[in-house]
Amino acid sequence: MSGTPARPSPRALARQRRRLALSGFWRRYRRHRAGLLGLAGLVLFVLLALAAPLLVAPGDLSVTRAPHDAYQPPAPAHPLGTDNFGRSLLDLVVWGSRVSLTVGFLATLVSVGLGTLVGITAGHYRGVAGAVLMRVTDWFLVLPTLVLAVALATVLSRSTLTIVIAIGITAWPTTARLVRAQTLAVEARPYIERSRALGGGHTHIMLRHVLPNVLPLVLAQTTLLVASSIIAESTLAFLGLGDPGTVSWGGTLQDARRAGAVSSGVWWYLLPPGAAIALVALSFTLCGRAVEGALDPRSREGR
Amino acid sequence: MTTRTGSAVDGPAATAPAVLAARGVSVRFAARGGGGVVRAVDDVDLRVGPGEIVALVGESGCGKSTLARTLLGLERPSGGSVLFKGEPLGYRARELKAYRRRVQLVPQDPGGSLDPRHSVYEAVAEGLRVHHGTLPDEAVRVERALSRAGLRPPERFFLRYPHELSGGQRQRVVIAGALVLEPEAVVADEPVASLDASVRGEILALLLRLRAELGLSALVVTHDLGLAWNIADRVAVMYLGRVVEAGPVEEVLTAPRHPYTRALLSVLPDASAATPTILTGEPPDPARVPPGCRFHPRCPVLASGAAAEAGVAHRCGAEDPGPLPEAPGHGAACHYAAVTAERPEAGNR
Amino acid sequence: MNHLETRGLTVAYRAGGREVPAVRGVDLAIPPGGTLGLAGESGCGKSTVALAVLRLLPATARVGGSVLLAGEDVLTMAWGRLRAVRWAGASIVFQGAMHSLNAVRRVGDQIAEPVLLHESAETPASAARRAADLLERVGLPPRTAAAYPHELSGGQRQRVMIAMALACGPRLVIADEPTTALDVMVQAQILRLLKDLVARNGIAMMMISHDLSVLADACDRLAVMYAGRIVEEGPARQVFADARHPYAAALGAAFPVVGDPASRYAPRGLAGDPPDPAGSGTGCSFRPRCAVAEDRCAYVDPALWRAGPDRSAACVRVLPSEEVL
Ligand SMILES: Nc1ncnc2c1ncn2[C@@H]1O[C@H](COP(=O)(O)OP(=O)(O)OP(=O)(O)O)[C@@H](O)[C@H]1O
Ligand SMILES: Nc1ncnc2c1ncn2[C@@H]1O[C@H](COP(=O)(O)OP(=O)(O)OP(=O)(O)O)[C@@H](O)[C@H]1O
Ligand SMILES: [Mg+2]
Ligand SMILES: [Mg+2]
């Protein structure tokens, strides 16, 4: 900053600081080799999902005018084999990534948003309000996730949105608990008292101090939750609660089961969607762990 | 009343209405583990005049921080009231916010008092943003506060984070954050306790300079009598939730009247006193305040029989000497001091 | 023979890819029964010296020079011998250790543990008796043995730490900031306890603090460190009252004498920032903060020179000026 007499505006300062923080974060993230692997896998799947309309012709997924014969083992024309209608499993997996990723992200957004809101509020207002919120959270927490999701999915219309809501509503209590615990820890720090003594109100403290300090945890939790949301989506679709009109990994697995693929040894029908689910979940988990590590202040000490 | 000697703010501070005052303030907590009350602060009178620096000293756990927090409205007194410029403090959100623009806290631990995710600039600007939103001249004010607090050149510190600062620099940032609102009084809780000896003098000199430049009033909480001697005009000695001796620093620290103050002075490492009076045990539990004079179980004067000679021993264990009323002169809440000090200068207390 | 002697002790930590020299050539000597105070601001390497004496430094530290404990070199000692020396030859009251007592074990058991480990003749019952004895020696009622750490106050916990350090009858006790964070009255209690123990049992002691007045009160000799080196050494009272090195003088003046009119409304301290341990240019490392620096300080790197009978200081001002040039 030498030689520049001009006073930088606060906004420029904030930008500069954010850039610094980001580059620091990336430097620390890079140290986790598994995290880089996860990130690569993730980028691959996201690109795949975005490029799906270019890779798969609309007619290729039609049940009635399927391009190949049914139950074909892997061959150059259909590298992963075909399903009971004669559709290429590669096409199904590529197309299915769209639904799986969308549902995964949206459901995570819902549950993390809700969980963070409830968690911070319950942690900040220590009185009756906080206690009531936590009781509600506990109630949701002990509800068996799958049962609630199944119930919701049956009551509401069978669409992708329903699945998002079902997963979002059942997954938030864990986040809320986690965020509340972290909020309590942050609220006990002396800088909160300093902020109060400066005249800061509840909103100020929650937004300016608590939120930034729980955000790393939330971010790590988000990446982990995406993985479990994708699994949950597949589970619901596998149980036949998904939108029958769309192609998803869970739905494909469910079709395979119904078609008797398990007993008739048509392994290529089961393996690709299963592996895709596992790979995406693994990628997100690896990323989540690396984010957690990169944001851990202890690992930052070394500078 | 005794005449005030050698203080930098003679006269006016004693008569003008106090900037900050506690009148009969008590703070009680429910004892941890249920049952009983903790009388952390018990009927305390205290005043900080305009441009005056008052030191509040006492052992760990005697209620200093609790009193300081109560003066800032962070704790609600269970009895008595806090006065700012003669007006009792209101506890509605808006009143508190307005109050906290004019009276600032410098918290106990400069390391923990800065949000690790806020840069120095944000930490200092926080008060401004809370009270005025984003001002066009925010950067100028932050810069001014930082250089007043001795961090120069200020721009060099804007983007630093707390972990990149030394302990002394952190304390200065905290002080700058309090100064940026141009308060009329500050309450500093152990401003140098966690700092190195070499940095200590710098921070104390800063407080003195701010008083000279801005006419700032300050209450400095500490367990360090040397600090009081270094910067304070008046000192109040607290024991178990009560102010037991108060007065001008020169008088209280060179001619202490309360046996507790004497003991505190005698254990200073370089005290000239031949035999230090080391009180045994820890300060007693504020959940079980002894009857009579609260200091009598540990009182060396009572134990040595001097109190019996003066004919007050029976009162020490039975009769509470009562809280020390707020007064500019030197006073001690002690039966023994009352009868022995009366003789040379009658009518003092 | 000195009980503890370090010769040219150096310690460098590897941190973030570079070496941080924390201790840069320290010579210390403590005779049997002697007490030495080690002073200096935060980060100057005091704890590092203490840890090096018992080879307790982390693996990232590189140690040079020698540390002789009762004539034996600790740095080259065999592992088994080192273990024996660690409790019986010298033991440490770690900085801030009173916060790191095991929260779920009774303090009596924690005191008895080293006794049981190091002395095969002891049975659990006799070790427990010894723990009770030790507690009594540090001024705590023997029933304290049954207490958990959270039931004790800061001062009581510090006494437990001292009892633990005394458990195996060491000939040297190193107390790293034993009274920091305690208030004046408890500090006075702990200091008196340490002084008594040392005098009564003829134990040698090294006490670390940044408060010169505490050390001057409790020790015979005083060494002041700055940036990993000793800059002044001598009889405690003399160093405190009349320091020859400007840094030692500033440290001594930081705590005023109550009642001294000169320090009224005149707190004294040291301007400037603590030195960067990694980077040191030429000349005296204290020069950037020194109020009395001269031209020659920019290129003379001062060593410990004689500065009067039985004392030394690393400042060119203690020399007659022609000697340096
Ligand atoms: N929220 C609380 N609930 C119950 N007891 C409390 C609470 N806050 C403080 N106390 C008790 O009140 C007493 C006074 O505490 P305070 O923090 O004011 O002491 P202090 O004089 O500032 O001590 P120190 O020098 O250690 O900071 C202590 O005994 C403490 O345990
Ligand atoms: N494990 C470590 N790895 C890297 N650097 C270290 C390590 N331990 C200490 N240091 C550095 O070595 C220097 C000396 O540290 P040391 O703990 O000896 O200081 P000190 O004089 O005891 O300070 P204090 O008074 O704060 O306890 C410091 O700059 C510190 O940052
Ligand atoms: Mg306190
Ligand atoms: Mg240390």
Side-chain angles (χ1 to χ4, degrees), chain B residues 6-9 58-61 156-157 166 169 193 195-202 204-206 208 211 223-234 248-250 253-254 260 263-265 267-270 276-283 298, chain C residues 40-43 46 140 153-156 159 180-189 191-192 210-217 237 240 247 250-274 289:
Chain B
S7 148
V9 281
E59 279 170 288
S60 183
R156 253 199 21 216
F157 293 91
S166 71
Q169 289 174 331
L195 298 182
D196 245 29
S198 48
V199 190
R200 186 193 120 95
E202 287 271 286
L204 295 183
L206 170 64
L208 275 181
R211 189 262 291 273
H223 61 241
D224 175 0
L225 291 168
L227 185 156
W229 179 259
N230 263 166
I231 64 167
D233 304 312
R234 285 197 309 126
V249 167
E250 283 87 351
L253 296 191
T254 53
Y260 177 62
L264 280 183
L265 280 163
V267 299
L268 291 181
D270 44 22
T277 323
I278 299 183
L279 302 176
T280 48
E282 314 291 325
R298 292 170 89 195
Chain C
E41 71 195 320
S42 183
K46 307 181 295 292
L140 291 174
S153 70
Q156 289 171 327
R159 283 168 195 260
T180 310
L182 298 177
D183 73 58
V184 264
M185 197 55 78
V186 183
Q187 167 174 311
Q189 293 169 2
L191 286 181
R192 179 153 83 176
H210 64 110
D211 185 342
L212 272 191
S213 59
V214 164
L215 295 179
D217 194 45
R237 283 273 146 211
F240 178 52
Y247 175 68
L251 209 56
F255 290 92
V257 177
V258 170
D260 170 17
S263 55
R264 185 84 177 110
Y265 293 122
R268 266 168 291 174
L270 190 59
D273 275 336
R289 299 169 80 182

Side-chain angles (χ1 to χ4, degrees), chain A residues 102-188:
Chain A
T102 312
V103 171
F105 279 124
L106 284 182
T108 303
L109 213 66
V110 171
S111 64
V112 165
L114 203 61
T116 308
L117 187 71
V118 172
I120 290 187
T121 319
H124 181 79
Y125 296 100
R126 224 68 59 78
V128 184
V132 168
L133 268 178
M134 273 342 273
R135 287 294 81 73
V136 173
T137 311
D138 287 345
W139 187 74
F140 270 97
L141 198 63
V142 296
L143 275 184
T145 310
L146 202 59
V147 174
L148 182 68
V150 168
L152 269 174
T154 38
V155 170
L156 301 172
S157 69
R158 289 174 76 190
S159 72
T160 310
L161 186 67
T162 307
I163 298 234
V164 168
I165 293 175
I167 298 174
I169 278 192
T170 51
W172 68 267
T174 350
T175 314
R177 281 241 146 229
L178 215 66
V179 169
R180 175 170 171 274
Q182 183 72 7
T183 303
L184 289 180
V186 171
E187 293 255 347

Side-chain angles (χ1 to χ4, degrees), chain A residues 53-269:
Chain A
L54 304 175
L55 301 174
V56 182
D60 289 357
L61 294 176
S62 150
V63 179
T64 45
R65 278 175 290 119
H68 310 284
D69 295 333
Y71 296 126
Q72 291 300 306
H78 35 79
L80 296 179
T82 64
D83 71 351
N84 56 342
F85 299 111
R87 295 179 293 184
S88 162
L89 270 163
L90 182 62
D91 290 353
L92 288 175
V93 167
V94 168
W95 198 262
S97 67
R98 288 170 77 86
V99 172
S100 292
L101 287 181
T102 312
V103 171
F105 279 124
L106 284 182
T108 303
L109 213 66
V110 171
S111 64
V112 165
L114 203 61
T116 308
L117 187 71
V118 172
I120 290 187
T121 319
H124 181 79
Y125 296 100
R126 224 68 59 78
V128 184
V132 168
L133 268 178
M134 273 342 273
R135 287 294 81 73
V136 173
T137 311
D138 287 345
W139 187 74
F140 270 97
L141 198 63
V142 296
L143 275 184
T145 310
L146 202 59
V147 174
L148 182 68
V150 168
L152 269 174
T154 38
V155 170
L156 301 172
S157 69
R158 289 174 76 190
S159 72
T160 310
L161 186 67
T162 307
I163 298 234
V164 168
I165 293 175
I167 298 174
I169 278 192
T170 51
W172 68 267
T174 350
T175 314
R177 281 241 146 229
L178 215 66
V179 169
R180 175 170 171 274
Q182 183 72 7
T183 303
L184 289 180
V186 171
E187 293 255 347
R189 308 281 304 154
Y191 55 81
I192 299 293
E193 173 135 311
R194 168 174 177 265
S195 184
R196 275 214 290 152
L198 278 172
H202 295 296
T203 340
H204 173 86
I205 286 174
M206 284 193 281
L207 287 182
R208 301 287 304 146
H209 292 285
V210 178
L211 187 61
N213 280 290
V214 301
L215 218 50
L217 183 86
V218 169
L219 194 60
Q221 171 74 359
T222 305
T223 35
L224 296 177
L225 255 184
V226 173
S228 61
S229 295
I230 288 176
I231 293 177
E233 186 273 336
S234 306
T235 313
L236 288 180
F238 179 73
L239 292 175
L241 299 163
D243 182 351
T246 60
V247 174
S248 74
W249 293 338
T252 308
L253 277 179
Q254 141 87 350
D255 291 344
R257 189 188 58 83
R258 265 212 307 241
V262 184
S263 49
S264 55
V266 188
W267 55 269
W268 60 85
Y269 200 167

Side-chain angles (χ1 to χ4, degrees), chain B residues 44-95:
Chain B
V44 164
D45 283 336
L46 191 74
R47 73 191 295 282
V48 183
E52 193 179 32
I53 298 183
V54 176
L56 183 64
V57 301
E59 279 170 288
S60 183
C62 70
K64 307 181 296 291
S65 296
T66 307
L67 179 58
R69 299 178 66 247
T70 311
L71 286 175
L72 281 156
L74 289 167
E75 204 71 68
R76 221 173 152 152
S78 38
S81 55
V82 173
L83 306 181
F84 178 65
K85 304 213 147 164
E87 297 286 317
L89 178 58
Y91 287 89
R92 256 172 283 146
R94 180 169 317 164
E95 293 166 319

Side-chain angles (χ1 to χ4, degrees), chain C residues 16-166:
Chain C
R18 46 178 202 164
E19 294 242 312
V20 180
V23 175
R24 306 184 297 147
V26 162
D27 301 314
L28 288 174
I30 307 179
T35 52
L36 174 79
L38 191 59
E41 71 195 320
S42 183
C44 72
K46 307 181 295 292
S47 301
T48 307
V49 169
L51 295 177
V53 166
L54 285 181
R55 231 165 93 188
L56 289 166
L57 288 165
T60 55
R62 237 197 26 237
V63 189
S66 65
V67 176
L68 302 179
L69 199 59
E72 281 180 276
D73 192 340
V74 177
L75 299 181
T76 56
M77 200 175 265
W79 181 243
R81 178 78 194 119
L82 181 65
R83 253 173 58 100
V85 160
R86 271 195 191 156
W87 286 91
S91 64
I92 292 198
V93 180
F94 290 101
Q95 178 173 18
M98 58 180 190
H99 305 295
S100 57
L101 278 166
N102 187 339
V104 295
R105 293 188 58 200
R106 298 178 192 280
V107 298
D109 297 344
Q110 299 191 46
I111 297 173
E113 187 174 346
V115 177
L116 279 172
L117 270 175
H118 286 270
E119 283 161 44
S120 43
E122 295 280 346
T123 63
S126 69
R129 260 199 312 281
R130 204 151 130 193
D133 257 11
L134 284 163
L135 284 171
E136 221 161 354
R137 267 171 76 192
V138 298
L140 291 174
R143 67 182 144 78
T144 317
Y148 288 97
H150 73 264
E151 296 166 345
L152 304 177
S153 70
Q156 289 171 327
R157 265 182 272 169
Q158 191 61 281
R159 283 168 195 260
V160 169
M161 293 311 302
I162 294 171
M164 213 185 278
L166 295 175

Side-chain angles (χ1 to χ4, degrees), chain B residues 65 108 189-190:
Chain B
S65 296
Q108 188 154 5
D189 193 353
E190 309 268 14

